[in-house]
Amino acid sequence: MENRIEKKIELKAPVARVWKALTDHREFGEWFRVKIETPFVAGKPAVGRILYPGYDHLKWEVIIQKVEPERYFSFTWHPYAVESDIDYSKETPTLVEFHLEKTARGTLLTVTESGFEKIPADRRALAFRMNDGGWAEQMKNIEAYLAQKS
């Protein structure tokens, strides 16, 4: 089984605009569909409420890891943490990384999520499959968001 998800998309927007959509907590929340109350700060948690129908009872929580302006942004989280009776805090989180590169037409956004090998075996495959599909959907969401807001 693979332990790393990677998605790439070339966005028709300058790096600075993509960077803002990724790192401004309000903009991130719009395309990612989560209501986030506080700005993203390296080393600090960011918490919100998921706005996807069917998942809107869930809390969204990440720890911002690194913020390197217009180049790299990362956080850790517990993948596919959707069972309200399970304490995911004892699991090792996965690392989500966003890399931005300027291209002739805009910005190449690469998203990776790694560390699935540390997820308990009984939920590893499901968490990987759901997040693989989730990141594919989120790439479409940020593309549509930037097309409307740029």
Side-chain angles (χ1 to χ4, degrees):
M1 186 192 138
E2 293 181 52
N3 290 311
R4 182 174 184 269
I5 296 168
E6 181 175 300
K7 305 291 180 194
K8 292 182 179 224
I9 188 169
E10 186 170 17
L11 300 165
K12 295 176 186 168
V15 169
R17 182 66 192 99
V18 176
W19 178 253
K20 187 174 181 209
L22 280 176
T23 60
D24 179 294
H25 70 287
R26 291 169 297 242
E27 290 204 28
F28 183 96
E30 280 195 49
W31 65 265
F32 204 85
R33 299 187 182 152
V34 59
K35 183 168 179 51
I36 304 166
E37 300 295 335
T38 57
F40 294 156
V41 177
K44 303 284 185 184
V47 179
R49 187 173 52 83
I50 295 174
L51 301 175
Y52 268 103
Y55 295 95
D56 48 356
H57 63 289
L58 297 171
K59 185 167 94 173
W60 181 86
E61 186 169 11
V62 304
I63 305 293
I64 305 300
Q65 297 298 311
K66 288 186 180 177
V67 180
E68 297 175 10
E70 300 191 7
R71 198 183 76 74
Y72 179 83
F73 173 63
S74 65
F75 60 75
T76 54
W77 69 353
H78 297 287
Y80 199 61
V82 298
E83 299 295 330
S84 58
D85 59 339
I86 294 178
D87 179 9
Y88 297 99
S89 67
K90 299 188 184 329
E91 294 181 6
T92 300
T94 55
L95 174 65
V96 175
E97 299 171 284
F98 300 87
H99 295 267
L100 282 70
E101 295 174 46
K102 182 179 178 180
T103 66
R105 296 178 10 169
T107 304
L108 177 64
L109 173 63
T110 304
V111 179
T112 61
E113 183 173 2
S114 59
F116 285 92
E117 71 277 11
K118 296 174 185 166
I119 301 302
D122 63 330
R123 69 179 214 92
R124 184 178 309 146
L126 179 62
F128 184 91
R129 188 176 73 241
M130 296 306 288
N131 278 26
D132 188 55
W135 284 117
E137 186 68 27
Q138 294 296 3
M139 294 296 93
K140 294 176 190 170
N141 288 349
I142 193 170
E143 182 178 42
Y145 176 80
L146 287 168
Q148 291 175 349
K149 303 283 184 168
S150 293

